Amino acid sequence: MDTRHRQKSLNKAPVGLATTIRAASSTHNIPSWPQRVSFCPPGFAQDRDGACVSTQCGPHAHPLADLKQNERLVDYERRVKACFSDIVPTLKQIAALRHEADFESRAQQIARERLGFDLDETVLANAWIAPLDMRKLYGNSVLKTFCKLAQEDVIRQGGCTEAEDVARFFIECGFHEVNVSACADGRLKGFINYILRLPQEAVPRHQFYAGTSFDVELNVKQWTATELRRFREGLPTTTDSGTRYLKIAAYHFSSSDPDHEGCAAHGSSDARAMQAALDRLRAFSTAIENGFCCGASVATLLIGVDTDNDAIRIHVPDANGGTSLDCYIDNMALYQETAKLTKLEAQWKLNAIVEETARRFDRSAPETGMRGLIKQLLTNNLSQIDYVCQYHNGRYEDIGHAERFISVGDGFEEVHLRNLAYFSYMQTLEEGAADMDVGIKIFTRLNIANSLPVPVAIHYRYDNQVPGAKERAVARCHRVKAAIVARYPDLMHEGLLVFGMSVQAQQSGSVLETVSDHDQNKHAH
């Protein structure tokens, strides 16, 4: 049996309304590898007991891995996953009580104790006369769980020392701002925090688009705002400092099932995915050079991610900033090459790898600052590869989509974790329709095929220094929700779309403010 068929068999789940909660259990609990198999995916081999064991991971940690950070991140991952895993068992327990006389109070007590929030009172109150709307309870529970985690993260946010240190490092490398665009695929939801190991606050501008097809015009506006601030305030550097704006684009692929688990927006074609990301980077760079005088230019960097194990490949630009799809550093190969070295030897290898790669492809090496940045990103990612080796046997079991909800709008700064959410960045549905369609296609297999609804979290940020900004953000939530409902009327009619809306001030650490359907007529349009 090959990888494709075996993965399909793992993803199968029962279909039908009567099996909604049972299907949810199988859909949202990551399947485990069989103990005995006749086939192992690439990078794995059978041990004496017939179990698949990674051949990419050594018996010891990599000499450059940050083990303490790995421990913190795995604790966070387990805590978040545990919160979502509690939803289905809790709802099953509540569903079994629906004919009890004190059903409403007992249901709310169970929800508070196990989930940390109240359920929809209207749904519970109608249970005596109508079927209990488990779809709505499930969708709302997913969205409330996320909001609860996000609020907890806001409270925990303390000092920004690490972010400030990273921002200074960027400037030392010659980049006064780093802007990141990655694919909207949920497997890249932890791209900044986990895969690149960068604090979220150090990369304030980041967006996710299906197929990494980021909005060039929006990015030009963001560049303009950054450069205007430098001109007016001298922040984060003065205009004569010689630093530049860096745009990073990240595409993704699957090493074990490239024909099926690559980028859905590009038909799982690795070639199309990387070319599309590079085309957007070139379009952005050309737009800046053509639109502004005095030699205005930006730096660009193309990164690929193997979503099976979070290993990155960095395409090394030449001295003029040009990028080749063929000239890249494979960090998994580098991990294996340096895993048995001493820490000093591994660092020496990292110091030389950029220039070695450029020479191998007969290209000039990038400037010193870019070399330093690439080395640091590779080093950071070595810890993530080690993380996957230590806690996931070298390869995620959910190599495909396993997102919990669709995030629409500006996105959340909090709770970044692999396969947590599919993200569709948009200000209007018209501009984000393609991304939304991809998300619905993904959740048709994940949820709808199992009679589960698609939870959709609509979230916009506002500048609280601008009069009326909050009201306009609330109005945008309602407009986008109405447009989504109109685009997928059949799903809405069947109760297969469940919405949650919120707004949040742009300032880091701002609380999430829930938007109710009843707020629709209170705010300006």
Side-chain angles (χ1 to χ4, degrees):
M1 183 182 294
D2 65 16
T3 306
R4 300 187 301 275
H5 295 139
R6 191 167 157 304
Q7 189 61 35
K8 286 181 180 178
S9 67
L10 287 174
N11 289 337
K12 285 183 179 179
V15 178
L17 181 59
T19 61
T20 295
I21 296 299
R22 181 160 53 92
S25 300
S26 61
T27 301
H28 290 297
N29 286 332
I30 298 173
S32 59
W33 284 98
Q35 291 299 312
R36 295 180 181 273
V37 294
S38 59
F39 165 83
C40 284
F44 283 76
Q46 286 184 327
D47 62 11
R48 294 180 180 179
D49 299 323
C52 287
V53 179
S54 173
T55 58
Q56 298 175 324
C57 302
H60 306 292
H62 191 281
L64 299 181
D66 188 334
L67 301 184
K68 290 185 178 180
Q69 186 182 41
N70 282 357
E71 290 176 0
R72 291 195 301 270
L73 289 175
V74 78
D75 287 343
Y76 178 79
E77 177 187 353
R78 289 168 177 169
R79 180 175 63 85
V80 171
K81 287 183 175 180
C83 290
F84 285 99
S85 296
D86 285 341
I87 294 174
V88 169
T90 301
L91 293 183
K92 290 175 70 174
Q93 181 181 357
I94 290 172
L97 302 173
R98 58 185 166 185
H99 298 301
E100 301 292 333
D102 57 349
F103 168 66
E104 293 179 52
S105 60
R106 291 184 64 185
Q108 294 289 28
Q109 181 182 358
I110 292 171
R112 292 188 200 106
E113 291 175 353
R114 296 193 58 176
L115 302 179
F117 51 78
D118 288 341
L119 299 177
D120 190 312
E121 295 180 356
T122 304
V123 174
L124 298 181
N126 291 338
W128 72 276
I129 197 172
L132 186 60
D133 192 345
M134 297 304 300
R135 287 176 173 171
K136 191 168 186 179
L137 289 181
Y138 172 80
N140 284 338
S141 294
V142 169
L143 296 174
K144 285 186 175 182
T145 295
F146 173 77
C147 286
K148 178 172 71 76
L149 291 167
Q151 292 285 25
E152 291 173 358
D153 275 17
V154 167
I155 295 173
R156 274 196 298 271
Q157 285 180 357
C160 299
T161 304
E162 184 182 5
E164 292 171 355
D165 290 343
V166 172
R168 279 195 294 270
F169 169 73
F170 288 157
I171 292 175
E172 290 171 1
C173 290
F175 308 113
H176 54 258
E177 181 160 317
V178 177
N179 181 315
V180 173
S181 287
C183 183
D185 190 298
R187 291 168 291 181
L188 294 184
K189 185 62 175 170
F191 179 67
I192 296 174
N193 303 62
Y194 279 76
I195 297 174
L196 296 186
R197 296 295 176 96
L198 297 174
Q200 202 74 31
E201 297 81 5
V203 190
R205 296 194 190 277
H206 51 271
Q207 309 92 28
F208 299 84
Y209 297 84
T212 323
S213 298
F214 61 85
D215 188 325
V216 174
E217 285 76 14
L218 174 63
N219 275 261
V220 171
K221 291 179 181 178
Q222 292 173 340
W223 175 88
T224 304
T226 297
E227 298 309 306
L228 178 61
R229 189 181 184 208
R230 293 179 69 212
F231 179 79
R232 299 281 299 183
E233 303 177 40
L235 295 173
T237 62
T238 58
T239 55
D240 61 351
S241 64
T243 61
R244 288 196 292 168
Y245 187 102
L246 173 62
K247 177 66 184 182
I248 296 176
Y251 65 92
H252 65 99
F253 58 96
S254 168
S255 58
S256 61
D257 193 2
D259 295 332
H260 297 85
E261 297 298 352
C263 184
H266 297 295
S268 286
S269 169
D270 296 351
R272 287 167 52 190
M274 67 172 72
Q275 186 65 59
L278 180 58
D279 288 345
R280 290 293 167 129
L281 286 178
R282 287 173 173 168
F284 172 62
S285 179
T286 300
I288 298 299
E289 293 171 0
N290 291 348
F292 299 88
C293 65
C294 306
S297 66
V298 295
T300 60
L301 187 62
L302 181 64
I303 298 178
V305 179
D306 184 348
T307 52
D308 291 359
N309 50 38
D310 284 347
I312 62 174
R313 58 167 66 148
I314 296 185
H315 295 258
V316 179
D318 61 22
N320 296 318
T323 299
S324 166
L325 295 181
D326 297 324
C327 181
Y328 62 81
I329 300 170
D330 181 344
N331 211 31
M332 176 55 77
L334 187 61
Y335 174 90
Q336 294 171 328
E337 185 178 350
T338 55
K340 296 181 181 180
L341 301 180
T342 65
K343 185 174 182 179
L344 189 61
E345 290 171 336
Q347 288 175 335
W348 182 88
K349 181 64 178 178
L350 265 292
N351 287 333
I353 190 64
V354 176
E355 290 184 334
E356 285 182 5
T357 303
R359 283 197 301 269
R360 190 180 312 126
F361 288 88
D362 196 25
R363 291 166 60 85
S364 58
E367 58 191 13
T368 302
M370 179 63 81
R371 292 201 301 269
L373 176 64
I374 292 174
K375 176 203 168 185
Q376 190 60 53
L377 294 180
L378 291 170
T379 303
N380 291 359
N381 184 245
L382 290 175
S383 291
Q384 182 61 16
I385 296 174
D386 213 70
Y387 176 95
V388 178
C389 282
Q390 183 177 358
Y391 300 112
H392 297 280
N393 194 27
R395 175 182 181 271
Y396 290 110
E397 291 179 343
D398 57 334
I399 66 167
H401 292 279
E403 293 93 335
R404 305 290 181 160
F405 63 95
I406 296 177
S407 175
V408 171
D410 289 334
F412 299 88
E413 301 299 322
E414 305 79 15
V415 197
H416 282 244
L417 187 66
R418 181 184 188 275
N419 253 342
L420 177 64
Y422 172 87
F423 185 65
S424 180
Y425 179 86
M426 67 176 79
Q427 296 298 308
T428 65
L429 180 61
E430 290 78 8
E431 67 176 296
D435 288 8
M436 193 67 192
D437 287 345
V438 172
I440 291 296
K441 180 179 179 181
I442 291 170
F443 275 83
T444 296
R445 178 173 63 84
L446 290 178
N447 286 30
I448 295 173
N450 299 296
S451 294
L452 287 172
V454 181
V456 180
I458 302 174
H459 182 75
Y460 287 100
R461 302 182 77 91
Y462 63 90
D463 188 342
N464 56 12
Q465 295 180 331
V466 177
K470 177 180 177 180
E471 289 75 15
R472 288 188 288 274
V474 170
R476 184 177 293 115
C477 285
H478 289 290
R479 285 200 302 271
V480 169
K481 177 184 175 181
I484 294 174
V485 169
R487 188 172 183 84
Y488 310 105
D490 293 341
L491 295 181
M492 195 65 192
H493 177 73
E494 294 294 328
L496 291 170
L497 285 178
V498 177
F499 293 89
M501 298 182 290
S502 59
V503 296
Q504 187 178 19
Q506 290 178 353
Q507 287 72 15
S508 179
S510 301
V511 299
L512 272 70
E513 305 168 64
T514 301
V515 175
S516 167
D517 286 331
H518 303 297
D519 298 330
Q520 188 166 7
N521 298 322
K522 296 180 181 180
H523 302 289
H525 289 266

